[in-house]
Amino acid sequence: MFEKALAVFTFQAGYNTSIVMAGVVALGIGGGVIGVFPFLRKRTLISNAISHATLPGIGLAFLMGITLGGTGRNLMLLMAGAALTGALGVLAVQWIKNHTRLAEDTAIGTVLSVFFGFGIVLLSHIQTLKGGSPAGLNSFLLGSAAALTAAEAQLIAFSAAGVITISIIFFKEFAVVAFDEDFAAAQGWHTTRIDLIMMALLLAIVTIGLKTAGLILVVALVIIPPAAAWFWTMRYNRMIVLAGTIGGLSGWIGGTVSALVPKVPTGAVIVLVAAAIFTFSLLFAPARGVIAWGIRHIFLKFRIAETCGLIAIANGFMPPDTLARKIMRWRGYLDINGKLTQSGATAAEDRQRQQHLWFAYQERYPDADRSLNPLTNGKIESVLPPDILAELENKTT
């Protein structure tokens, strides 16, 4: 079993398996990269509208293929139809947002439901046609990565590479619009046009991912990797690299698991792997993870309790807070009888000095960051430069 897993993981398990692996990895990387921009733009739900808006295009393309004398299951034709109605869905959302008083989420919900309903009607009609079995279309609903051909995998890989390349070309424009649309407009940039380019790239990824993950699950490939990457970094460029890595890794691991376990849908496994990476990031990321935040919150609570206790002692009162007294005993500021020790008196005097300096700083610089305070920032020497500190010392003496 281990040897087989290693063979699949290293693209040595046969031609067909390697083709599938290459396709899903390329799709994961492309989805992760392009997904960063709508994520930062706070427009991730637009990908959901795009994916559902592709369904009627698939149905119409299938009917056109039958009308032209074919089977209707030509991948290029189906993807072209999906891209066409997906683009119409994006334009419809943009028009409703710009020309009505409806919010964007309302526009997305309206377009999503109407287009998806139309697509279901078309699929129901296709079922009634002679030779119109929707078996070939079900793969666009739920995905069928195991049925990828070499040509289809190459199409996905080249398309994903094209999306990444264009994203790099428009890196600066996407970044500015994502973080400050008003500033971009003030610089003379056409923010609507940049938005449409961004949506076009998102549409391209969703369209090429339909055969692999299906229109229901492909949305996850452009939402989950950027969301997971967000927990690990606050830098825009690093987030793009990390999101692409998470997307590619999800495709790599998911494709391997799907190849090892029979009759397990590849797209669903890829999404579950991405969700597992997201959960790990949510819990354990050092910058924004839940556990790290909880630890910082506990330490902050202890620091505030200690500071309040020392300030109370410096003003001649015994700290009423039980936690503060326990911390001060643990620190050696109080003896076993609750009497102030020499180190406690020194610490209380220093903390009172710190408080006076902080108050002097806030009085001298009222427009400064109000989050700087004696309860959360510790010693003032570690925050303020020596010249300002000397100025405050002279003012408090």
Side-chain angles (χ1 to χ4, degrees):
M1 184 67 177
F2 176 77
E3 290 79 7
K4 183 178 180 181
L6 183 61
V8 175
F9 205 66
T10 56
F11 296 86
Q12 297 177 2
Y15 180 76
N16 291 336
T17 303
S18 298
I19 286 296
V20 172
M21 291 288 291
V24 296
V25 169
L27 178 64
I29 295 174
V33 170
I34 190 57
V36 170
F37 305 114
F39 175 83
L40 295 176
R41 194 83 166 84
K42 296 180 174 59
R43 302 188 69 188
T44 51
L45 282 180
I46 192 69
S47 58
N48 203 13
I50 292 174
S51 65
H52 285 74
T54 59
L55 184 58
I58 294 171
L60 291 172
F62 183 87
L63 293 174
M64 180 180 295
I66 293 178
T67 303
L68 296 176
T71 62
R73 296 185 178 89
N74 181 275
L75 180 63
M76 290 296 296
L77 180 62
L78 294 175
M79 289 180 63
L84 177 61
T85 55
L88 291 176
V90 172
L91 294 176
V93 170
Q94 198 76 13
W95 188 90
I96 293 173
K97 175 188 173 184
N98 294 337
H99 294 85
T100 71
R101 296 183 179 181
L102 296 177
E104 186 177 36
D105 58 346
T106 304
I108 291 174
T110 302
V111 171
L112 183 153
S113 56
V114 170
F115 276 72
F116 190 69
F118 182 40
I120 294 296
V121 171
L122 287 176
L123 290 186
S124 300
H125 173 66
I126 290 172
Q127 288 180 338
T128 65
L129 299 178
K130 182 179 180 180
S133 171
L137 301 184
N138 285 340
S139 61
F140 287 89
L141 288 173
L142 302 175
S144 181
L148 282 177
T149 65
E152 292 170 351
Q154 290 174 0
L155 175 63
I156 292 175
F158 286 132
S159 300
V163 168
I164 294 172
T165 301
I166 297 175
S167 300
I168 293 174
I169 293 174
F170 286 93
F171 179 87
K172 180 177 69 175
E173 289 80 0
F174 287 169
V176 174
V177 171
F179 286 106
D180 195 336
E181 182 179 3
D182 294 334
F183 175 78
Q187 297 299 308
W189 293 0
H190 297 282
T191 56
T192 301
R193 188 177 303 172
I194 295 173
D195 255 342
L196 289 176
I197 295 174
M198 191 186 303
M199 293 304 104
L201 295 178
L202 186 61
L203 171 62
I205 282 293
V206 169
T207 301
I208 65 175
L210 290 175
K211 183 66 181 292
T212 303
L215 65 87
I216 297 175
L217 295 177
V218 71
V219 180
L221 297 182
V222 297
I223 294 179
I224 296 180
W230 179 84
F231 287 103
W232 294 96
T233 181
M234 298 182 183
R235 298 288 298 273
Y236 174 63
N237 52 352
R238 293 178 183 175
M239 184 176 177
I240 292 176
V241 174
L242 192 55
T245 302
I246 292 173
L249 188 62
S250 301
W252 198 3
I253 298 175
T256 301
V257 173
S258 179
L260 295 175
V261 182
K263 298 182 180 179
V264 173
T266 307
V269 176
I270 293 173
V271 172
L272 290 177
V273 172
I277 296 175
F278 171 82
T279 303
F280 180 85
S281 304
L282 172 67
L283 294 176
F284 300 106
R288 293 169 171 168
V290 172
I291 293 178
W293 178 88
I295 293 173
R296 288 195 299 269
H297 180 74
I298 292 173
F299 276 102
L300 178 61
K301 183 178 180 180
F302 288 168
R303 182 188 301 170
I304 291 175
E306 178 185 347
T307 300
C308 291
L310 288 172
I311 291 175
I313 289 176
N315 288 281
F317 302 99
M318 183 58 64
D321 185 32
T322 303
L323 177 62
R325 291 197 298 271
K326 288 181 178 179
I327 293 175
M328 295 184 71
R329 287 194 186 97
W330 176 73
R331 298 274 286 177
Y333 298 154
L334 297 176
D335 60 20
I336 57 176
N337 298 318
K339 301 296 184 180
L340 187 66
T341 64
Q342 182 60 42
S343 62
T346 302
E349 182 181 353
D350 178 68
R351 199 58 57 96
Q352 188 177 43
R353 167 184 166 273
Q354 293 279 330
Q355 184 186 39
H356 290 159
L357 290 175
W358 278 115
F359 288 163
Y361 171 74
Q362 292 172 351
E363 181 181 353
R364 177 69 177 81
Y365 301 96
D367 296 330
D369 189 354
R370 303 302 293 179
S371 65
L372 297 177
N373 62 75
L375 295 180
T376 59
N377 290 100
K379 289 186 173 296
I380 196 170
E381 292 87 348
S382 63
V383 178
L384 299 182
D387 56 337
I388 295 181
L389 189 62
E391 177 187 345
L392 298 178
E393 291 275 13
N394 293 331
K395 184 176 181 180
T396 56
T397 54

